[in-house]
Amino acid sequence: MALRTIRLQGDEILGKACREVKEITLRTQILIEDMLETMYENEGVGLAAPQVGILKRIVVIDVGDGPIVMINPRILSSDGTQTGGEACLSLPGKAGQVTRPNHVVAAAFDRNMQEFTIEGEELLARAICHELDHLEGHMYTELVEGDVYDVECEEE
Ligand code: ZN
């Protein structure tokens, strides 16, 4: 396993849509392991493949309940709303207020290309929406209400 370099906002790869994964090769397995390691090292709750420069529809998430790997994920349904602070490893030290669904149901494939569904509320719902947006080339900053603020400055 190895840490991958996280692409920062402004890098054109973060604005591109990702391709579907058709089969899990050894390279894909290594990519997923590296994404998990990179996410944990940087204390993120999620990471999408384009953030490490790979235009594939793969995201990893861990909101504190263990790693979730989602390949070719899609949202099946969502409801409710939540507004809260959101941040991204591609924009370190910053955060902003974003409104997201409070509850989502998503489908994806796991590392063995077995399809599964997952239900998320609150932080997990937010993380799923945030990471799936990356696969379409979107950053949370496009949705921020008000200004993107400095996280350090917020802590008095
Ligand atoms: Zn992000």
Side-chain angles (χ1 to χ4, degrees):
M1 295 205 294
L3 292 175
R4 304 251 179 157
T5 303
I6 296 179
R7 305 299 183 96
L8 301 178
Q9 190 172 40
D11 190 316
E12 64 175 23
I13 206 156
L14 293 173
K16 293 183 174 171
C18 294
R19 294 182 299 275
E20 291 245 317
V21 176
K22 295 209 169 67
E23 59 171 342
I24 303 293
T25 60
L26 179 60
R27 269 177 80 155
T28 317
Q29 295 281 12
I30 292 169
L31 169 66
I32 290 166
E33 291 303 321
D34 288 354
M35 285 173 64
L36 285 165
E37 191 178 342
T38 303
M39 174 181 73
Y40 290 124
E41 176 70 22
N42 291 280
E43 295 176 358
V45 299
L47 189 70
Q51 291 182 277
V52 294
I54 308 289
L55 289 171
K56 286 184 177 171
R57 300 185 68 81
I58 302 172
V59 308
V60 297
I61 291 171
D62 190 338
V63 295
D65 300 323
I68 301 166
V69 175
M70 301 176 81
I71 297 166
N72 300 338
R74 63 189 199 279
I75 290 175
L76 301 176
S77 66
S78 62
D79 57 82
T81 60
Q82 56 173 320
T83 301
E86 196 162 314
C88 180
L89 293 178
S90 292
L91 193 57
K94 305 282 184 186
Q97 291 287 307
V98 178
T99 297
R100 299 281 192 185
N102 197 48
H103 177 252
V104 302
V105 180
F109 293 86
D110 67 14
R111 280 181 265 197
N112 301 310
M113 280 311 250
Q114 299 298 305
E115 195 167 24
F116 67 97
T117 59
I118 184 168
E119 223 178 306
E121 289 208 325
E122 297 175 355
L123 180 58
L124 181 54
R126 177 178 294 282
I128 290 170
C129 294
H130 177 116
E131 299 310 329
L132 267 61
D133 278 355
H134 276 300
L135 303 183
E136 309 300 335
H138 295 300
M139 288 280 294
Y140 81 90
T141 49
E142 298 165 42
L143 302 172
V144 160
E145 296 151 29
D147 293 323
V148 172
Y149 51 84
D150 226 312
V151 175
E152 284 85 351
C153 292
E154 211 199 15
E155 296 164 9
E156 301 272 322

